[in-house]
């Protein structure tokens, strides 16, 4: 007897859906299992470190002034490891445990002009540096692998592929997969240490890098199977939080290559001497934006807009767009935006509010009569987008400034009738704090917003169901403008 499993098209669809759900669930469980294998480095006290010196403290929050050299202000509480470098003879700090092969993920914050580092096994340094705005990073910049010394001269050193450093006073992400050196039964080294992966702010900056020698400042130039994790504390203020790690009791394959998904998977769109505008689909969370535009400027500063609403969706530095998803198979994939990109807002930039506490709309309302008109290049290479909101013409200029360290957005509104009740959404996030007049830190120090003097005293921080938003009214005039900068 023959049993027909797929008796109808409907049965086939149901069967495939069950398989899809099964494999999705399996993948989720595997990801959760891998996450559970990570151990947090508790930062309630300094008990997990060996003989910490007075320059190291535990804090609940930390502030570092963007414009003040080596400035750090710890706040009471727990959860953050802070090096103030204010004590006499500041020293590095070492974990009480040692490691061989290690995966580690953490967040860190650099002060203006500060310098620090993370030493794997106390011997191999990944450089931490205030490298904000550096165009051609060296081994001594953020994410670089430091040199070692021979005959009083620096030797080696590897620069990061890209500089994706954020501004002083902002939290940054670092992820490292370290493979320790290998020794035979006689104690002779048979394989060098290796960095399988180093990711900074979501971007791969090193992969399969061989470390043939301990770097400068190592606890010892004699290599070993294990050593402590070490945080540098004698060169300037730095803070760490959300440190989690996975130690391997059995050595992994030290010669393993990167997973296939990282090999030859990118087709990057290069930026020449003029800005590039690329249209396409873009995905943020569970939402698809079918009418988006990504803009890349020379110097490696980029942003993405939703043309259906004028939303400034994302900003990022470094490489522009990975076009591979748009061309694989039959094409039609989403714009391959860098994992380092910061989400600004998925809601319309401009909206009418009945009152100061009116809820900001999550999409353009049909009654708003909103239309994207066109975009053009100005003589100085700035891209300008033009919209129409009812009777109001809107010009939207977003361009780099301050040596490509920030993006300045200038919105100009023109109407025969003053735009009563019109507001601009500058940013949204879980938390927003006012640092000084017209200057704000967004989403737990992910980026800054700086307003022009005319608008700084009119901006309001409003609470929402999911966090907070920064809103400013449009001036009541026939021709009005609003200018602000995004700094990260």
């Amino acid at each position: 007897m023959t049993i027909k499993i797929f008796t109808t098209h409907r049965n086939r669809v149901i069967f495939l859906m069950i398989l899809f759900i099964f494999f999705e669930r399996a993948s989720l469980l595997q990801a959760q299992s891998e996450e559970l294998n990570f151990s947090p480095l508790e930062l309630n006290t300094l008990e997990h470190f060996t003989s910490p010196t007075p320059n190291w403290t535990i804090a609940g929050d930390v502030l570092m002034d963007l414009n003040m050299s080596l400035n750090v202000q710890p706040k009471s509480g727990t959860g953050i490891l802070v090096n103030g470098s204010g004590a006499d003879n500041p020293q590095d700090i070492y974990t009480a445990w040692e490691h061989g092969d290690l995966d580690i993920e953490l967040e860190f914050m650099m002060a203006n002009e500060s310098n620090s580092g993370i030493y794997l096994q106390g011997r191999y340094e990944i450089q931490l540096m205030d490298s904000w705005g550096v165009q051609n990073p060296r081994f001594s910049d953020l994410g670089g692998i430091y040199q070692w010394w021979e005959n009083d001269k620096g030797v080696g050193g590897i620069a990061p592929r890209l500089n994706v450093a954020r501004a002083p006073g902002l939290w940054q992400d670092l992820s490292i997969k370290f493979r320790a050196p290998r020794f035979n039964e006689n104690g002779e080294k048979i394989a060098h240490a290796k960095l399988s992966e180093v990711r900074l702010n979501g971007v791969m900056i090193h992969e399969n890098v061989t470390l043939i020698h301990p770097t400068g400042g190592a606890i010892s130039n004699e290599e070993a199977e294990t050593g402590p994790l070490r945080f540098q504390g004698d060169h300037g203020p730095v803070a760490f939080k959300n440190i989690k790690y996975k130690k391997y009791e059995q050595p992994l394959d030290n010669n393993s290559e990167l997973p296939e998904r990282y090999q030859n998977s990118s087709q990057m769109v290069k930026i020449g001497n003029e800005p590039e505008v690329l249209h396409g689909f873009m995905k943020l969370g569970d939402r698809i934006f079918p009418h988006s535009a990504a803009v890349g400027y020379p110097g490696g500063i980029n942003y993405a807009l939703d043309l259906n609403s004028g939303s400034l969706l994302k900003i990022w530095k470094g490489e522009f767009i990975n076009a591979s998803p748009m061309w694989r198979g039959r094409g039609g994939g989403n714009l391959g935006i860098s994992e380092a990109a910061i989400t600004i807002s998925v809601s319309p930039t401009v909206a009418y509010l009945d009152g100061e506490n009116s809820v900001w709309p999550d999409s353009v309302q049909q009654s708003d009569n909103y239309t994207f008109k066109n975009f053009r290049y100005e003589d100085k290479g700035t891209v300008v987008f033009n919209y129409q909101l009812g009777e109001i013409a809107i010009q939207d200029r977003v361009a780099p400034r301050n040596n490509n360290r920030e993006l300045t957005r200038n919105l100009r509104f023109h109407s025969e009738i003053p735009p009563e009740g019109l507001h601009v959404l500058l940013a949204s996030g879980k938390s927003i704090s006012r640092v000084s007049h017209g200057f704000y830190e967004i989403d737990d120090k992910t980026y800054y917003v700086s307003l022009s003097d005319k608008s700084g005293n009119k901006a309001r921080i409003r609470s929402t169901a999911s966090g907070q938003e920064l809103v400013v009214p449009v001036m009541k005039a026939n021709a009005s403008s609003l200018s602000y900068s995004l700094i990260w």
Side-chain angles (χ1 to χ4, degrees), residues 122-133:
R123 293 174 172 85
Y124 314 95
E125 183 186 9
I126 304 296
Q127 177 79 344
L128 300 183
M129 173 71 76
D130 171 22
S131 298
W132 183 44

Side-chain angles (χ1 to χ4, degrees), residues 320-337:
F320 178 41
I321 289 289
N322 176 10
S324 301
M326 303 175 67
W327 298 106
R328 289 196 191 108
R330 297 182 180 180
N334 298 308
L335 295 172
I337 290 177

